[in-house]
Every structure is written in structure tokens, then in C-alpha cells.
Amino acid sequence: MLKDQILNADDRKLEPMHIEEWNTTIYLPVVTVGESKQLAEMAKQDDSTAQLLGFYIRDEQGNRVFDEEECKQLMNKPLSIINRIVDRFNKLNFADDEAAGKSPQTTD
């Protein structure tokens, strides 16, 4: 059935991103509608950039790499690297440039 195909589709992907300066590969998640609401709430916090980066950066299995306190340490990393991560995340999760950097609008 169509319903089963949609609900059981393996559409939760991780996109690898090599960070040369860190000599490692991070993984960026495709977010769900529910997670987009969580991201919108994070964006309202004082330390939103750090918290959002902590959400974006995953390991190969899709687990978050940094806890809440460790996220704050990411603010000491070069802006050029952080901007590349944010740009790639936005391109992965938002369909066009106009929507990049904005949380998708959802209704309850």
C-alpha cells in the first residue's frame, strides 16, 4: 500500500562532510518536521548558534557528538569552518536558497 511505502521509507539520511582543518568527517542529518520545531525552539535561546551546531554535527551512526556544555566550545572554532557546516546543513534540509537558514513553516 502507498501509506506503508511512505511511512516505512528509509528517508532519514546522513550526509558526510569532510572538514580538512579537523582531519575528520562529520555527518549532517536530514531533519524531520518534528525536529524542525525543535530547531526553531533552539534558535530562540541565547546560545542558539552553539546549540544548533551541536544538533547539526553527528557521528557516522547519526548520534550527536557534543553535549550541551561541549557545544559552547564550538564557539571558539573558526567562523569559516562553522559557516561551511551551516551552509551544507541548510542546503541539505531546505529546498531553495530563499528558505536556507530559516526553519520550515509548519502548522499544527
Side-chain angles (χ1 to χ4, degrees), residues 12 14 27-29 55 57-65:
R12 293 294 315 270
L14 289 171
Y27 295 82
L28 303 173
F55 180 89
I57 300 172
R58 307 292 179 102
D59 66 16
E60 198 171 345
Q61 288 76 40
N63 301 310
R64 292 184 190 184
V65 175

Side-chain angles (χ1 to χ4, degrees), residues 62-99:
N63 301 310
R64 292 184 190 184
V65 175
F66 301 102
D67 66 27
E68 190 171 328
E69 197 57 39
E70 293 166 332
C71 289
K72 295 174 185 174
Q73 295 177 39
L74 291 170
M75 300 309 295
N76 296 318
K77 293 297 175 185
L79 182 61
S80 61
I81 298 171
I82 299 307
N83 280 342
R84 288 198 320 262
I85 294 169
V86 171
D87 287 347
R88 179 77 68 87
F89 179 85
N90 286 339
K91 287 178 184 170
L92 177 64
N93 285 288
F94 302 104
D96 57 41
D97 290 339
E98 185 177 322

Side-chain angles (χ1 to χ4, degrees), residues 20-43:
E20 186 175 332
E21 297 89 340
W22 298 344
N23 193 32
T24 195
T25 298
I26 64 170
Y27 295 82
L28 303 173
V30 170
V31 298
T32 65
V33 174
E35 288 171 328
S36 73
K37 290 182 178 193
Q38 180 183 359
L39 290 173
E41 288 301 313
M42 280 185 204

